[in-house]
Amino acid sequence: MLFLVLVLLILILINMPIAFALSFTSLAYLLLTDRVPLRILIQQMFTGVDSFVFLAVPFFILAGTLMERGGISQRLIDFSASIVGRIRGGLAMSAVLAAMIFASISGSGPATTAAIGGPIIPALRERGYGKEWSAALMASAGVIGPIIPPSITMVIYGAMTNTSIASLFLGGAVPGILIGLGLMVICYFHARKVGVAKVNEAFNLRSFFLAFKKAVWALGMPALILGGILGGFFTPTEAAVVSVVYGLFVAFFIYRSVKISDIPGIVRDSAITTAVVMIVLANAAGFAWLISAEQGPEKLVQLFLSISNNKFVILLLINILLFILGCFIDTTSSLVMTVPTLVPLARAVGIDPLHLGLIICVNTVIGMATPPLGLTLFTACSVGKVSIAKVTRPILPMLAVMVIVTLLITYVPSLVLYLPSLFIK
């Protein structure tokens, strides 16, 4: 097992793509040990992705791409501004709220950052928020993408552990909202610090309804997905297909922002994103099988229990491990690499698999806003035309908010388990 871990870490440090690092490590181990035929690795890779639930991944990606290309970003920003735009720091708060709503459509951190950050970062800069701070805000707000349902990360965890995806979706809404609210508080105090003036306008009900009317079709997708799943009308996989049909209808007949000629490009982009996810999943499945064959989960349980058998200490160690991995490895890879070993550990100390899944999903996505990987960080800096080094300082308070929320849901499990217990029997 030590050989597997060391080789994988070395390959990651020399910047080999994670999917190839996983497959190379597994292949090298089998060639050196010669214990089992090489075809077993291929079989395990195929078995790892041979699940009906994984069909939800390409369809949710396609639905998010359709809505992203459908020109909903500005509509969501205007709708959010009609709600919080008159508060001090309201423009920045609008960006966060719009990102939260877009997250419930795309489920992708980089897509959320690019879609909302594109139109809002220049506006924030003009209002005096500062270009570095504005990029930091959008990088942080983009992290909410994989947390608020529908979340591809939660679909993968649910498929791997046979945990209710509907319960994961419900539980994920709470930390997503808490992170959003925390970022809004930062927006308020930053606006006061840099002297951004408050908009002296009374709440206009007519403007609100007008903005709502323009955004209502975008708001309908998350309502359709969650409502359909919780109402028992369709499974999460079926919900993903329904969301594609809904996205096509809205893009073609309501917003009329997508043409027939655009469909091949949309499908191609969605297929590329799906292929990346599935290649990582397949290679990680083979690696996880080898780790399991070498009794990796049992050894990790023994290691953690040798440090402490206190449930709260174990939870802290799990969080530290996940945070470090999230800084260097993408969310999907972190998930597939850690779940097979952490689930037995969680069961050994009495941690609910649903609770563990929400901790893993929230913790690993924080890495999207931290270097050196930082997918939303790179996206925000690219959109805002600012260097990552200059964004590092203003993003620290925002990262602190995410860490605090992670610790809250870790040590106050009722925050994320109450809604699932209320709706899922």
Side-chain angles (χ1 to χ4, degrees):
M1 177 181 164
L2 184 61
F3 171 85
L4 289 168
V5 175
L6 287 177
V7 172
L8 180 63
L9 288 176
I10 291 170
L11 293 177
I12 291 172
L13 288 173
I14 63 174
N15 290 326
M16 178 179 283
I18 185 66
F20 299 127
L22 288 166
S23 61
F24 181 85
T25 304
S26 303
L27 184 62
Y29 179 80
L30 290 179
L31 288 173
L32 289 172
T33 58
D34 197 27
R35 293 182 184 178
V36 294
L38 291 179
R39 66 175 179 272
I40 298 296
L41 179 62
I42 304 301
Q43 291 173 355
Q44 292 300 323
M45 290 171 65
F46 177 80
T47 303
V49 295
D50 185 22
S51 173
F52 179 75
V53 177
F54 282 136
L55 282 175
V57 174
F59 285 110
F60 274 134
I61 290 173
L62 179 56
T65 305
L66 278 168
M67 295 299 283
E68 179 187 349
R69 299 287 181 86
I72 65 171
S73 303
Q74 193 60 52
R75 291 179 174 89
L76 293 179
I77 292 171
D78 293 341
F79 173 66
S80 302
S82 71
I83 299 174
V84 298
R86 290 159 186 81
I87 307 171
R88 186 184 293 275
L91 182 62
M93 292 182 188
S94 300
V96 175
L97 183 56
M100 293 168 67
I101 299 172
F102 193 88
S104 65
I105 297 171
S106 72
S108 166
T112 301
T113 303
I116 304 301
I120 202 72
I121 288 179
L124 289 170
R125 196 164 47 198
E126 288 177 11
R127 288 289 299 274
Y129 286 91
K131 63 179 182 179
E132 292 87 3
W133 187 89
S134 301
L137 178 68
M138 288 316 307
S140 303
V143 167
I144 303 173
I147 301 176
I148 288 183
S151 166
I152 294 170
T153 305
M154 293 178 187
V155 170
I156 294 171
Y157 178 86
M160 291 179 64
T161 61
N162 200 27
T163 303
S164 167
I165 294 174
S167 297
L168 288 165
F169 280 0
L170 283 171
V174 175
I177 292 171
L178 288 176
I179 290 173
L181 292 175
L183 293 178
M184 288 184 187
V185 171
I186 290 177
C187 292
Y188 174 80
F189 285 106
H190 180 75
R192 290 190 61 179
K193 178 181 177 182
V194 299
V196 175
K198 179 182 176 182
V199 177
N200 293 316
E201 294 180 8
F203 178 76
N204 189 313
L205 193 62
R206 184 175 180 276
S207 298
F208 169 77
F209 278 114
L210 184 62
F212 176 76
K213 182 181 177 181
K214 291 180 179 179
V216 67
W217 287 100
L219 299 171
M221 181 176 281
L224 176 67
I225 294 170
L226 282 178
I229 294 173
L230 297 179
F233 296 104
F234 34 73
T235 66
T237 305
E238 293 166 344
V241 179
V242 171
S243 67
V244 171
V245 176
Y246 181 87
L248 283 169
F249 175 77
V250 172
F252 273 112
F253 301 107
I254 305 300
Y255 293 154
R256 299 180 181 179
S257 52
V258 174
K259 302 175 183 178
I260 294 292
S261 59
D262 297 328
I263 293 298
I266 291 173
V267 172
R268 183 189 65 244
D269 292 346
S270 301
I272 291 172
T273 304
T274 301
V276 171
V277 172
M278 300 310 288
I279 288 172
V280 171
L281 280 173
N283 285 293
F287 182 82
W289 172 75
L290 284 176
I291 288 288
S292 180
E294 289 295 319
Q295 296 184 322
E298 292 82 0
K299 291 175 182 176
L300 182 67
V301 170
Q302 293 172 5
L303 174 63
F304 275 43
L305 292 179
S306 68
I307 298 173
S308 174
N309 58 4
N310 185 291
K311 176 180 176 180
F312 299 106
V313 175
I314 296 295
L315 283 169
L316 179 62
L317 292 174
I318 289 174
N319 272 311
I320 293 172
L321 172 67
L322 292 172
F323 181 78
I324 293 172
L325 283 176
C327 292
F328 296 95
I329 304 174
D330 68 273
T331 305
T332 302
S333 302
S334 296
L335 195 70
V336 181
M337 289 171 57
T338 57
V339 166
T341 53
L342 291 182
V343 168
L345 174 63
R347 286 176 179 156
V349 295
I351 301 171
D352 190 311
L354 173 60
H355 185 208
L356 176 69
L358 292 166
I359 293 171
I360 292 175
C361 291
V362 174
N363 197 316
T364 52
V365 300
I366 297 176
M368 286 187 170
T370 60
L373 184 65
L375 295 178
T376 63
L377 184 62
F378 282 115
T379 304
C381 290
S382 177
V383 172
K385 296 179 174 59
V386 60
S387 70
I388 291 177
K390 293 183 178 179
V391 173
T392 302
R393 185 173 179 180
I395 206 172
L396 289 177
M398 304 172 194
L399 290 174
V401 166
M402 300 178 208
V403 172
I404 290 169
V405 170
T406 304
L407 293 176
L408 273 175
I409 68 168
T410 299
Y411 293 110
V412 189
S414 58
L415 282 173
V416 290
L417 298 181
Y418 177 71
L419 276 179
S421 67
L422 197 63
F423 289 96
I424 309 296
K425 303 298 181 183

